[in-house]
Amino acid sequence: MQGYPDFTDSGKSPAKICSLMIGAILGAGISLLLAPAHGRDTRRLVASTVKKIGERAGQVFERTSDKLGQVKLDAKAGMRASQAPAL
């Protein structure tokens, strides 16, 4: 059975990564709003950036869902193997 890494082993917790991502997004948004450009251009840039982030979030969600499905299948296979009678 395949082993899966634990985020706490490397010192990276999901809370730290989430905080970093939120800070990066907020910083990017503020820098865009304070940039010396016309409002219309800034709004277009913000809209396209938000769209890209949304698409990437969807991709991450899909990959995570796929990985969780694989973990579920591995767990079921492991349970079946442990319950099988010894020959």
Side-chain angles (χ1 to χ4, degrees):
M1 189 158 94
Q2 177 184 2
Y4 294 95
D6 184 7
F7 283 109
T8 57
D9 289 346
S10 64
K12 298 177 184 174
S13 70
K16 288 180 183 178
I17 294 171
C18 185
S19 298
L20 176 68
M21 294 301 294
I22 290 172
I25 291 169
L26 287 174
I30 290 170
S31 67
L32 284 173
L33 293 174
L34 297 176
H38 292 291
R40 177 182 35 203
D41 297 335
T42 302
R43 286 190 297 274
R44 285 183 186 157
L45 185 57
V46 169
S48 69
T49 302
V50 168
K51 184 177 179 181
K52 287 177 187 176
I53 290 171
E55 290 171 354
R56 289 180 185 156
Q59 293 169 353
V60 169
F61 178 79
E62 187 175 327
R63 283 195 311 261
T64 302
S65 178
D66 292 344
K67 292 287 184 181
L68 287 175
Q70 185 61 43
V71 169
K72 182 179 174 183
L73 292 175
D74 288 349
K76 284 183 179 181
M79 289 178 67
R80 277 191 297 257
S82 69
Q83 293 174 352
L87 297 177

